[in-house]
Amino acid sequence: MKIEFEAHFGHETKTIELVAPSGGGQGYQLMIDKYYQGRLIKTQGKWVGKFNPGCDLTVDDINILGEMIDNALA
C-alpha cells in the first residue's frame, strides 16, 4: 500500500509518501520528497513515529498520518 499527497511547509510544497515496506516489515515508511524520514508504527492502538534526527513532525502530525493509513486500510 502507498499513500501519496502534497503538503505545504511554509512557502514550499513537498511530496509525502507513506509506504508499507516490502517483505512484511513493521510500520509504514515516511518519505518526504523521496527521502526516507523514518517510520510510523501502530502499537497498543496508537501511532508512534520513529524518525531521523531533524524530522520535526509533531504528535498531531503523527496522528493525522496514522489516521490516513487507518482510513486507507478500512
Side-chain angles (χ1 to χ4, degrees):
M1 181 194 69
K2 178 179 176 180
I3 299 169
E4 185 174 341
F5 61 95
E6 290 187 348
H8 300 283
F9 293 83
H11 296 292
E12 295 182 76
T13 301
K14 298 186 179 210
T15 301
I16 311 299
E17 296 174 79
L18 296 166
V19 182
S22 60
Q26 186 180 25
Y28 291 83
Q29 297 174 347
L30 172 64
M31 308 289 285
I32 299 177
D33 283 344
K34 303 288 184 194
Y35 290 99
Y36 177 79
Q37 299 296 317
R39 58 194 168 112
L40 293 163
I41 300 168
K42 193 168 194 177
T43 179
Q44 297 179 350
K46 292 186 177 186
W47 286 99
V48 178
K50 307 282 184 181
F51 301 121
N52 294 340
C55 186
D56 296 329
L57 294 181
T58 66
V59 171
D60 289 337
D61 296 328
I62 294 167
N63 289 334
I64 291 167
L65 294 171
E67 186 175 312
M68 291 174 75
I69 295 167
D70 287 338
N71 289 338
L73 295 173

